[in-house]
Amino acid sequence: KNLLRGILLESRRQVAPLGPNLNRKRRVSPRMGASHLVSNPPPGRDKGLPLTLLYLSQGSLGLLGLLIIAHQRLWPVLLLRAPWEVVLGYGLGSGLALVLMFLGLYRFLLRFLSPNLWVDEVNLCLVELLTFPHVVGVTAITAVSEELLFRAALQTLAMRWLPAGWAIGFTSAVFALFHFRYWSRPILLVLAFVMGLVLGGLYWYTGSFWTGVASHFVYNFAIIILAQRGFFPREKEANRAGGPV
């Protein structure tokens, strides 16, 4: 009896802190027609999983690129292979040029085309989760991983069998189609193809895939910062701003 009594007392001590949580208010959901407990998830739980998946998905692209490079013995493509001032100059300059091109096109899109052709709600939601260190981290890993796969690996292989122009075009098409969310956003799909042409051209002209990494980083970083400042409206906001429905 004493042993049983001790077990019961100990179990009550462990359960007691949970007691207040069992008395949470209930609210009836008008959609579900059923009651649900109202609770607030711990800070960071909601955004931790999407950020982890984002890093893993982008990192896996870089790993795939490295595996192709290793299998085909393409290790020299990972070297700088151009003066650093050329890499930084062309990379930063082309990245800023891409940003300005997109901002100019954005004015046209907002005024004349339906938002469902070019507004990417998923990207806008992901951007809201990023603190500044994550902006730098995600932008860096995206630029390095995608350039490893599409330029250092795929474009290098394509240029073995195709003329440079055709190889750049082919790799740019693969790069654009890889952004599968853009399949229902044709304007964004075309923009991804154009960006692929620019990045592929930089790799071919300078001989260094790091030029594309610098350009890719500058473009993504600037667009994310502008999005966090509310520069790009959501689809409903774009409709209210005067874009056709």
Side-chain angles (χ1 to χ4, degrees), residues 160-184:
R160 288 182 174 180
W161 305 304
L162 298 171
W166 285 100
I168 293 172
F170 168 76
T171 308
S172 301
V174 176
F175 174 73
L177 292 174
F178 163 77
H179 295 79
F180 57 89
R181 288 199 314 275
Y182 295 173
W183 294 3
S184 60

Side-chain angles (χ1 to χ4, degrees), residues 103-116:
L103 294 181
L105 183 61
Y106 168 75
R107 293 289 183 180
F108 172 83
L109 296 175
L110 188 63
R111 184 174 180 84
F112 295 107
L113 293 181
S114 173
N116 60 16

Side-chain angles (χ1 to χ4, degrees), residues 54-55 58 130 132-146 213-225:
L54 184 59
Y55 278 109
Q58 292 299 322
L130 302 178
F132 185 79
H134 282 302
V135 171
V136 176
V138 168
T139 304
I141 195 172
T142 298
V144 173
S145 295
E146 292 189 359
V213 171
S215 180
H216 205 150
F217 178 88
V218 170
Y219 175 81
N220 282 354
F221 181 84
I223 293 300
I224 289 176
I225 294 298

